[in-house]
Structures are given as C-alpha cells and as structure tokens.
Amino acid sequence: MDLQQGVYLYCVVSSTTILEQGKNGVGDAPTFLLVWQELALVCSDFPSKQFEINEENVLRHEQVVESFMEVTGVLPVRLGTILPSIEAARQFLKTRYDWLISNLTRLVGKVEYTVRAMTTQVDLHKQVNCLLVQQDNFSGKDYLYLKRQLLAPFAALEQILMQNAVAIVKDVAHVGSIVSYAFLVDRAKMECFERNCRKIEREFPDFKFLITGPWPIYSFIEPYNQ
Amino acid sequence: MVEIYADIPFPNNRDVSLLDLLDKVLDKGIVIAGDLTIAVADVDLIYLGLRLVLTSVENLESCQIRMVK
C-alpha cells in the first residue's frame, strides 16, 4: 500500500470494532483501521494530491461512516480531511485521545436527526419586516412582542420534539422564518422521536417541515480545546 | 443511506437530501484545523456557496414538503 501521498479520514470508532472487508471509500480505496489504545481511526489510502468535492466522494465518505454507525458509535470526521502519513494519523489519535474518548463515550448509542421548520405565516413576517424598516414608528417593546409571537410556535414544537431527545442545536435564519434543528436522540427513543415528528406536522399546519435522519452525530461533538 | 422523510418530487428530493448531507459533512464532525491536514483548503469557499443554496429552501413551499413515514 503506497501511503506516500496521504491518509484519508472517515471517523473515529472504538478499537473493538471489526472492520468489514470490502468497504471501500473515496477513490474506491479499501478502508483500514488505525488503532491506538481504545480508539481506532477509520482511514483509507489517498494516492491523489487533490480531494475533489463531488457527489461521488461525498457519498463514499458518508457511506463508510454510516456502515460503521450501523454497528458501533462513531465520531465522523469532516469531509476531505487528509493527513500526510500514517504517523500523523496516529499522532492525531494520541494527542487528542482524552477528547475523543470523552466524546465517543458521551455519544455512543445515540443518533442525530435534522428538522428544518419553515413557517408559512407570511403576514406576521411582513409586519415585523415593515416595522424594522420604519424604526421610528415603533418601540423596542413592540418589536420584541412581535418577535416573541413569531418564535412562539417554534418554541412549542421544540418542546414536543425534546420529549424524546437529549440535546438540541438550532440555527435561526430569515428573522425566524426558517429554523434548522439538530436533535440528539437515544437509539431506544428513535421511534418515539419519529412519532413526535409526525405529531408536529399535524399540530402545526402553518409550518412546512423537512426532516431527515437518523444521521451519524455531526452536530454534538464538543470543540477541541488544546 | 440516510432515510429521507420529505416527498419532494424527484429529482428535488435527491438534491435536497444531498444538500442536507453536505451541510453536515462540510462543516461539522471532527474538524482538524491547521498544518496537520493537507487537503481541506477549498472546502470553506464551496460551503459558503452551499449556504446560499440552502437558504433558498424557503422557496420550497411549492414543493409541498411533508413527512411520509
């Protein structure tokens, strides 16, 4: 195996994970495990100097991560991460061992769902936007009141979904008209969570939803502090 | 592959799910920054473009997004 050009990283798993043969990754290269104590880095040889972001490479990356997700806890690595050598990859595991172990232990047995919620209450949005333009004609109190009105349904649907989730991250866009959520859900609660997804669709007719999952856990990895 | 609950007519369904995937894999997970890596240089610029595409999801009203499961 020529490793002179680099090592492509997919995810971090427990060292007890068994690598299923035939799981090829980016560039159709065979995947392998690089083990350090209780952790293993899922990698493949990367003979090219340039990583191209295209549909095939994105799907290859994700398919490898998800094949491990089926059988064990995974910490996915950002797409297109290539280290210069096996030694650099081993060094990565050594220097960040405690951080990786802590994240893996915390997230094992959990999955992530994405929920994008979009309100169709255009009038309320127009009202808020008009007031934003004519700032002299309304008070901060008025604005906050309208904003609260606008966000109240989002808060209500969050509450329903959180009944079967353990954590949430959200990203508000367009003055609250679209909110993207990531929910961290125990595998044992997946069915209940999905049931509540259907419930919010019924109970919030003024919303459109786009819900995907279960995903590997991308959004709940604690940042690394050197 | 990830299960998709939205029944946006093909090929939009596939496009939206791919965007959702890109939104995750380009920006989240374990991010190794700095000199250690050798090939993530172009990612940020492309991601910026994708964010612009994703915000246009607001205009997907006409696609009748709904859960099917």
Side-chain angles (χ1 to χ4, degrees):
Chain A
M1 188 185 296
D2 177 14
L3 295 173
Q4 296 305 308
Q5 297 295 340
V7 179
Y8 187 94
L9 310 188
Y10 299 90
C11 55
V12 174
V13 295
S14 156
S15 61
T16 55
T17 307
I18 295 166
L19 179 68
E20 195 183 323
Q21 295 302 315
K23 291 282 180 196
N24 290 359
V26 171
D28 205 28
T31 53
F32 60 92
L33 296 180
L34 183 64
V35 175
W36 173 255
Q37 295 186 8
E38 290 178 25
L39 291 178
L41 199 48
V42 180
C43 323
S44 68
D45 183 13
F46 191 78
S48 167
K49 285 187 176 174
Q50 186 99 26
F51 177 79
E52 197 180 330
I53 298 181
N54 56 35
E55 187 174 341
E56 188 190 342
N57 281 345
V58 171
L59 292 177
R60 284 278 188 166
H61 176 96
E62 181 65 9
Q63 279 160 2
V64 170
V65 174
E66 288 190 18
S67 70
F68 283 90
M69 175 194 164
E70 297 292 320
V71 293
T72 186
V74 299
L75 298 177
V77 178
R78 183 190 190 188
L79 179 82
T81 303
I82 298 156
L83 300 187
S85 64
I86 286 278
E87 189 43 44
R90 191 173 284 118
Q91 198 60 27
F92 163 72
L93 279 182
K94 280 186 195 175
T95 54
R96 300 175 196 213
Y97 186 78
D98 290 344
W99 171 66
L100 291 168
I101 278 280
S102 144
N103 273 292
L104 194 60
T105 308
R106 187 170 52 87
L107 299 174
V108 76
K110 297 180 177 67
V111 294
E112 178 174 323
Y113 283 85
T114 296
V115 177
R116 294 184 201 279
M118 176 179 71
T119 176
T120 53
Q121 284 185 301
V122 180
D123 288 345
L124 195 52
H125 279 283
K126 277 187 182 160
Q127 229 178 318
V128 172
N129 288 334
C130 282
L131 289 171
L132 277 172
V133 173
Q134 307 158 355
Q135 288 198 11
D136 294 340
N137 300 334
F138 81 111
S139 67
K141 196 177 162 188
D142 292 335
Y143 173 71
L144 287 174
Y145 172 74
L146 278 172
K147 193 77 188 286
R148 232 185 351 259
Q149 261 194 302
L150 195 68
L151 293 177
F154 286 101
L157 70 89
E158 283 167 28
Q159 201 177 6
I160 292 173
L161 293 178
M162 275 305 290
Q163 287 169 4
N164 292 296
V166 289
I168 179 175
V169 291
K170 61 180 170 181
D171 181 13
V172 181
H174 293 260
V175 201
S177 61
I178 298 181
V179 181
S180 291
Y181 301 97
F183 287 93
L184 184 65
V185 176
D186 271 320
R187 277 189 176 277
K189 295 273 186 79
M190 281 166 60
E191 257 185 54
C192 301
F193 182 84
E194 289 175 14
R195 202 176 304 128
N196 275 357
C197 287
R198 291 190 287 273
K199 183 178 173 184
I200 59 167
E201 193 195 37
R202 285 194 306 273
E203 294 187 2
F204 295 85
D206 292 334
F207 278 76
K208 303 271 184 204
F209 295 101
L210 179 62
I211 302 172
T212 59
W215 294 93
I217 298 162
Y218 284 98
S219 308
F220 296 90
I221 295 173
E222 296 287 344
Y224 177 67
N225 297 314
Q226 291 185 348
Chain B
M1 193 57 205
V2 170
E3 194 168 358
I4 304 299
Y5 295 97
D7 65 343
I8 304 164
F10 186 83
N12 293 333
N13 187 324
R14 190 159 179 275
D15 292 344
V16 170
S17 62
L18 190 60
L19 280 174
D20 218 15
L21 174 58
L22 282 167
D23 192 37
K24 289 183 182 299
V25 298
L26 286 179
D27 187 42
K28 300 178 180 85
I30 295 174
V31 178
I32 306 171
D35 297 337
L36 200 58
T37 53
I38 58 173
V40 291
D42 296 333
V43 169
D44 287 333
L45 191 61
I46 293 168
Y47 181 67
L48 180 66
L50 286 167
R51 288 294 294 229
L52 295 175
V53 174
L54 283 169
T55 56
S56 71
V57 167
E58 191 174 24
N59 298 322
L60 280 173
E61 271 184 272
S62 57
C63 292
Q64 296 183 346
I65 301 166
R66 66 179 174 85
M67 288 176 61
V68 291
K69 190 171 179 183

